[in-house]
């Protein structure tokens, strides 16, 4: 790829890329705020150090609670975070903190996607952990956006790894004992957060994740097309893939492989052809691209001496929820084992 290529022209060629559809939010009923959080004290608290506060709490189903969080990193906007709570969870008891499983949604989805599209809420092995499913934007890419060097809103990485983390651990029963997993865009996010924040997570899993967006021109073109969704300027996220190459590499799990080599990593992906959970004749160029990216990351992890890599490159299969639900279950023994929780 050379700088002579016009990036807006490239984007127009790939705007037709389609992945996950938006999932409608489950109807909700307002529930009382836990007693010790009723004053909606911010994660920055009285000291003004952090910049997030819970402004509303909604019980949406048994063991499912939505927090409405106002974030400085997101320009003062309020976004939702869904919690799947463990048995016995009581955020008013500041002495009790639960192993925490961050579960990240993909592009074009939202914080409701995992509970709406999978059986995660009915999974018995998750009744002893706090599952955190944060909003990450339609195409936020788990990044603090470059915004032509200006930074600022949106800063999804700062919101999640600083503001929300402190908020959950102070007021909502989360512990520093954490793992992270995600699908597609969220699979990239899970790998990035584990690599870019050493010690924050004990294990990570990516299902059909964007694991090496700089693999080749096709991969770069595809992610730029996704960046351009909803009329967004695709250069806002990470800049130009040539001029801002260092920023792109800093958000490419392949180039961060050395930071992942000492932790348990689970990678899975199909090859984009119709598999056992697809309709006959189905295909996905996106899954085929991500499959190549995941193979490249796995090879790089092995090259740098990864100690605990698990892969499930299962061949036939497209970019769809039934595979991600299956892979979530397949990876839970590794993820829960890293938390010290029996699966």
């Amino acid at each position: 790829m050379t700088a002579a290529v016009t990036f807006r022209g490239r984007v127009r060629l790939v705007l037709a890329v389609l992945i996950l559809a938006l999932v409608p939010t489950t109807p909700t009923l307002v529930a009382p705020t836990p007693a010790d959080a009723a004053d909606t004290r911010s994660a920055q608290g009285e000291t003004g150090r952090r910049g997030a506060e819970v402004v509303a709490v909604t019980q949406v189903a048994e063991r499912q609670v939505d927090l409405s969080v106002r974030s400085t990193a997101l320009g003062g906007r309020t976004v939702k975070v869904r919690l799947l709570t463990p048995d016995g969870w009581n955020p008013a008891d500041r002495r009790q903190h639960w192993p925490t499983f961050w579960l990240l949604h993909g592009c074009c989805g939202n914080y409701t996607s995992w509970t709406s599209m999978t059986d995660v809420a009915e999974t018995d092995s998750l009744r002893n952990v706090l599952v955190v499913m944060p909003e990450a934007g339609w195409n936020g890419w788990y990044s603090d956006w470059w915004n032509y060097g200006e930074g600022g809103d949106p800063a999804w990485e700062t919101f999640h790894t600083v503001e929300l983390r402190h908020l959950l651990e102070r007021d909502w029963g989360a512990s520093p004992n954490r793992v992270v997993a995600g699908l597609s865009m969220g699979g990239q996010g899970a790998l990035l957060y584990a690599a870019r924040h050493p010690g924050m997570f004990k294990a990570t899993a990516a299902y059909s994740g964007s694991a090496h967006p700089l693999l080749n021109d096709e991969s770069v073109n595809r992610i730029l097309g996704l960046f351009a969704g909803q009329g967004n300027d695709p250069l806002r996220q990470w800049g130009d893939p040539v001029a801002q190459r260092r920023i792109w590499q800093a958000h490419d799990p392949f180039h961060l492989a050395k930071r992942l080599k000492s932790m348990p990593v689970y990678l899975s992906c199909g090859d984009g052809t119709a598999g056992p959970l697809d309709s006959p004749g189905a295909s996905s160029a996106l899954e085929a691209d991500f499959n190549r990216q995941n193979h490249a990351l796995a090879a790089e992890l092995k090259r740098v001496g990864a100690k605990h890599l698990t892969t499930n490159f299962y061949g036939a299969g497209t970019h769809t929820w039934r595979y991600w639900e299956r892979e979530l279950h397949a990876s839970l023994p590794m993820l829960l084992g890293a938390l010290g929780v029996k699966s």
Side-chain angles (χ1 to χ4, degrees), residues 328-338 341 343:
L328 169 66
H329 285 282
S331 64
L332 279 179
M334 180 271 279
L335 293 166
L336 296 178
V341 175
S343 61

Side-chain angles (χ1 to χ4, degrees), residues 195 253-262 300-301 303-304:
F254 177 90
H255 290 280
L256 302 175
K258 287 184 179 179
R259 301 187 187 184
L260 295 168
K261 69 177 185 178
S262 297
E300 181 67 3
L301 284 167
R303 188 189 73 80
V304 300

Side-chain angles (χ1 to χ4, degrees), residues 6-200:
T6 61
F7 294 101
R8 294 183 187 280
R10 176 192 291 122
V11 170
R12 286 195 293 271
L13 294 175
V14 292
L15 277 174
V17 172
L18 175 65
I19 58 174
L20 306 176
L22 280 168
V23 179
T25 304
T26 305
T28 62
L29 297 174
V30 176
T33 302
D36 282 350
D39 58 359
T40 64
R41 287 173 297 175
S42 67
Q44 73 188 91
E46 294 73 23
T47 63
R49 289 181 298 180
R50 297 192 182 114
E53 61 178 342
V54 173
V55 297
V57 182
T58 307
Q59 184 85 38
V60 296
E62 182 184 6
R63 297 177 53 233
Q64 294 182 49
V65 174
D66 285 356
L67 306 181
S68 298
V69 183
R70 182 184 296 134
S71 164
T72 298
L74 301 178
R77 289 182 289 123
T78 297
V79 297
K80 297 288 188 70
V81 177
R82 177 156 294 181
L83 304 180
L84 178 62
T85 62
D87 293 336
W89 178 73
N90 177 14
D93 183 356
R94 300 303 180 85
R95 299 167 299 176
Q96 190 172 37
H97 293 85
W98 298 86
T100 305
F101 178 17
W102 289 64
L103 190 55
L104 309 181
H105 71 76
C107 173
C108 322
N110 61 31
Y111 71 100
T112 72
S113 294
W114 277 102
T115 53
S116 297
M117 301 300 292
T118 74
D119 63 357
V120 63
E122 290 76 48
T123 301
D124 286 342
S125 59
L126 293 175
R127 299 188 75 94
N128 293 317
V129 300
L130 178 64
V131 183
V132 177
M133 293 165 281
E135 180 60 52
W138 191 88
N139 61 350
W141 291 90
Y142 296 90
S143 305
D144 290 357
W145 287 20
W146 179 62
N147 283 327
Y148 291 89
E150 297 297 321
D153 181 30
W156 289 107
E157 183 175 5
T158 295
F159 170 59
H160 293 143
T161 64
V162 179
E163 292 182 345
L164 183 59
R165 174 170 64 91
H166 287 301
L167 189 67
L168 293 174
E169 291 174 12
R170 195 196 66 189
D171 290 337
W172 300 92
S175 81
N177 185 19
R178 316 176 199 90
V179 295
V180 61
L183 69 96
S184 194
M185 175 182 83
Q188 179 172 299
L191 295 168
L192 287 180
Y193 284 1
R196 289 169 58 87
H197 300 273
M200 183 171 173

